[in-house]
Amino acid sequence: MKTLLTVAAFFVVSAASAQSVNRISSAHKLVRNNTRAEIIIPDIAGYQSLKGDFHLHTIFSDGSVMPADRVAEAWTNGLDVIAITDHIEYRPNKDFVLGDHNRSYEMAKKSAQDMGILLVKASELTTDKPKGGHINALFVTDSNPLERAKDSPDLTTAVDEAVRQGAYLLWNHPGWAIDSCIMFPLNEKWIKEGKIKGVEVFNETDYYPRAATWVKEMKITPFANTDAHGMKSDFYRADVYPPFNIVLARERTLEGVREAMFAGRVIAVFDGQAVATPELLKALFEACVEFKHITGDNYEVTNISDIPFDISSKQLSCKLMPRTTMRFKAKGSFAAEITNLHIDENSNLQVTIL
């Protein structure tokens, strides 16, 4: 009898166990958790090529994303450094999301440390365009003093406080809202005074060619930022790299990023285009594109990066796609224009090939 009971109990337990594992998971091949999509850019001219986005919003201003989610998004998208730049003046969620102007940075800091993402402390100064427009203050020490008195006529007091803190000032989307790039007197004044150091030539989905000319003529640094308010994956197509910057840093630290920005070693990249000084664009091209002599007048050209290069010349005219090798024929060296590497709104990088 005991034997029969034991056998019966065995079958009951076995049946229960079978039911509990009647499940086949495909999570390992369907879920993207803990998977990083690297942006392949080689180190350039002896510097580390750090990829960054320096214009991002969270629920602490007019975004819909938690600060820690911005960090996880950056890691997933292959970035090395970001700045959360919540508006000082515009906080539509303030009745529901409590905290001062430093709170989004404080909430994201631990996640950034755990994921190895460099997190720049920053805020966005916000007003009408003639009164200063939108300016990111990067590398601030305390965002709270950036808040202006309600009767302030423009951004002057906030800009001066950011400069006092040693911040890097970046003029955002100069062509936004009015659909034209206009150099307003205050922005020109702050550039000439050395307060504004950079300008967005790419923002979200827009390119501002006139801003590229300001980069050349006024000796300021170009930037490409998403200005993301929601998750980037909900906005950009999966096969599109959102705007990002290549920061040529001596070391992978916040101080290394800061030093590179103040030195102007930034290449703005978006939609298969890049803007920078001729020297940096040439260094980018030479680091990413390799030429190999096969035999006679037969050559190969290889792009080892994730940036395409539009090469235009009589001997070689092609779009050299990312991580691609092409064959071509040439009789000695020749001049070429790289038409997607912009020096200003009217000129592109000129190189000698072979």
Side-chain angles (χ1 to χ4, degrees), residues 18-54:
Q19 289 177 5
S20 68
V21 296
N22 189 19
R23 166 177 168 264
I24 301 173
S25 174
S26 297
H28 64 286
K29 60 181 179 180
L30 299 180
V31 177
R32 195 182 176 186
N33 289 348
N34 303 316
T35 302
R36 177 175 164 93
E38 294 289 353
I39 305 173
I40 306 301
I41 309 290
D43 289 344
I44 298 170
Y47 295 102
Q48 294 186 44
S49 296
L50 304 184
K51 284 77 70 177
D53 186 353
F54 302 102

Side-chain angles (χ1 to χ4, degrees), residues 176-335:
W176 174 73
I178 57 175
D179 295 326
S180 181
C181 272
I182 297 176
M183 178 67 71
F184 289 96
L186 265 180
N187 302 102
E188 184 175 14
K189 174 178 179 288
W190 291 331
I191 290 172
K192 289 181 176 179
E193 290 174 348
K195 294 177 179 178
I196 290 179
K197 304 285 189 182
V199 62
E200 286 183 340
V201 296
F202 299 106
N203 174 278
E204 193 182 64
T205 59
D206 295 334
Y207 170 42
Y208 307 118
R210 182 61 47 81
T213 295
W214 295 340
V215 165
K216 178 182 177 181
E217 294 179 350
M218 305 189 78
K219 308 300 182 186
I220 53 179
T221 301
F223 282 81
N225 296 315
T226 62
D227 194 3
H229 289 70
M231 294 300 291
K232 296 180 188 179
S233 58
D234 293 335
F235 185 79
Y236 295 98
R237 287 192 345 230
D239 60 338
V240 172
Y241 279 109
F244 70 95
N245 303 279
I246 305 172
V247 180
L248 304 186
R250 290 174 176 167
E251 58 185 17
R252 196 185 187 281
T253 63
L254 285 172
E255 181 53 39
V257 173
R258 187 177 187 277
E259 186 277 331
M261 282 190 182
F262 275 93
R265 295 194 306 273
V266 178
I267 302 172
V269 181
F270 178 53
D271 193 25
Q273 303 176 85
V275 175
T277 64
E279 294 78 15
L280 289 182
L281 291 177
K282 183 173 184 289
L284 171 69
F285 182 77
E286 291 177 347
C288 295
V289 179
E290 300 175 348
F291 292 91
K292 179 181 179 181
H293 181 228
I294 305 302
T295 182
D297 58 358
N298 296 296
Y299 292 84
E300 286 182 354
V301 55
T302 300
N303 181 1
I304 64 172
S305 78
D306 277 333
I307 299 176
F309 293 95
D310 297 338
I311 304 173
S312 178
S313 73
K314 292 181 179 179
Q315 289 85 350
L316 175 63
S317 185
C318 69
K319 176 181 281 291
L320 184 60
M321 297 301 291
R323 289 180 266 179
T324 298
T325 296
M326 298 182 67
R327 294 180 297 161
F328 69 99
K329 292 181 179 291
K331 297 184 181 299
S333 61
F334 56 91

